[in-house]
Amino acid sequence: MSSAVADLELMRASALLDSDPQTTVRCASAILAHSPDHEAAGLLLATACRRLGDPAAAHALLAPLAAAQPASPVLQLELGRACAAAGLNAEASAAFQAAVTLDSRLADGWRELAAQRFMAGDTSGGDAAYTRYERLAPRPPELSDAAVAIEEGRLDLASALLQQRLLQAPEDVMALRMRALVARANNRYAEAEHYLLRCLELAPGFAAARFDLANELCAQLRYTEAAPHLERLLAA
């Protein structure tokens, strides 16, 4: 298989990663059968294996790749994800730390590192890592129209757009926070609180959502409940 053909097959396999990872595995394996040192194919195969629920195979593929290319933040990121999926949390945390050390603007690396720190009970470290992720992560383009609708006071339209987004991505914390803003503007305080609590359940380091929740609690004169959130924000 020529280099040009291998690259074309790799593009096709990459395009199928989300919809058909099994086919991605077959295509990437075929490339590696002819070109065993094809790093991109190895990375793609490992990612597909992880998504198919085989983190051990992903780890076996990624560990030598990451060792051979220690300056690759992407390899460290994927190695960390494979380790996390396999329950190797200390190794996962080390890999994610290596990824963001190599590339401090790697948003996904900060998010994954935050999750590992929270899991280890390191609240302040998790908050710090998630803050870095928040600053780097772009707003999903699907939320742009909803944001404009909120700014213009077209709350029914914003609510409909956010509902559509959450049907597609129910754990999108940015959409959940915006849904809370719409609920608050419509004086539906319990609903706003519900969405904000869900945000923090999914992303404990989401400072903007924590501030909104503290603000909501203070508006309801529930200062005792708001205090821990404010103290955590100040500590961060």
Side-chain angles (χ1 to χ4, degrees):
M1 184 182 295
S2 69
S3 176
V5 171
D7 289 344
L8 181 59
E9 287 300 311
L10 185 69
M11 290 175 61
R12 291 173 177 167
S14 298
L16 293 170
L17 180 61
D18 291 331
S19 61
D20 190 359
Q22 190 66 61
T23 297
T24 298
V25 166
R26 290 197 297 271
C27 293
S29 298
I31 295 170
L32 289 168
H34 290 85
S35 306
D37 296 327
H38 200 300
E39 180 184 312
L43 174 59
L44 184 61
L45 176 58
T47 303
C49 286
R50 176 175 58 82
R51 294 195 181 187
L52 286 169
D54 191 355
H59 182 269
L61 287 161
L62 287 164
L65 284 175
Q69 299 287 337
S72 170
V74 174
L75 282 173
Q76 291 294 335
L77 176 63
E78 284 303 316
L79 176 61
R81 286 170 167 165
C83 290
L88 304 172
N89 297 322
E91 291 182 39
S93 186
F96 293 137
Q97 183 63 65
V100 297
T101 298
L102 289 165
D103 182 358
S104 63
R105 298 193 62 79
L106 189 62
D108 284 351
W110 287 112
R111 181 184 59 193
E112 301 282 14
L113 180 60
Q116 289 299 314
R117 288 178 174 176
F118 286 131
M119 194 179 302
D122 181 5
T123 299
S124 60
D127 282 344
Y130 198 87
T131 296
R132 294 292 294 271
Y133 165 71
E134 269 191 272
R135 291 173 180 169
L136 294 168
R139 174 186 289 169
E142 296 87 351
L143 299 180
S144 298
D145 289 342
V148 171
I150 291 174
E151 291 171 4
E152 295 178 350
R154 295 182 292 162
L155 301 180
D156 288 345
L157 174 59
S159 182
L161 292 169
L162 291 169
Q163 177 66 19
Q164 182 179 9
R165 172 60 180 166
L166 289 169
L167 286 173
Q168 298 170 348
E171 295 188 352
D172 185 332
V173 293
M174 292 186 183
L176 287 166
R177 181 187 174 230
M178 292 170 69
R179 193 73 189 269
L181 293 175
V182 171
R184 180 70 177 82
N186 283 318
N187 299 320
R188 297 198 298 267
Y189 308 118
E191 184 180 333
E193 183 177 342
H194 165 77
Y195 285 121
L196 292 170
L197 288 170
R198 179 58 176 155
C199 277
L200 295 176
E201 179 184 344
L202 293 168
F206 193 178
R210 191 172 297 280
F211 176 81
D212 287 348
L213 178 60
N215 195 40
E216 182 63 40
L217 294 170
C218 286
Q220 298 178 39
L221 308 183
R222 294 160 61 187
Y223 300 121
T224 301
E225 295 174 65
H229 296 292
L230 294 170
E231 289 169 0
R232 180 163 170 173
L233 288 166
L234 289 169

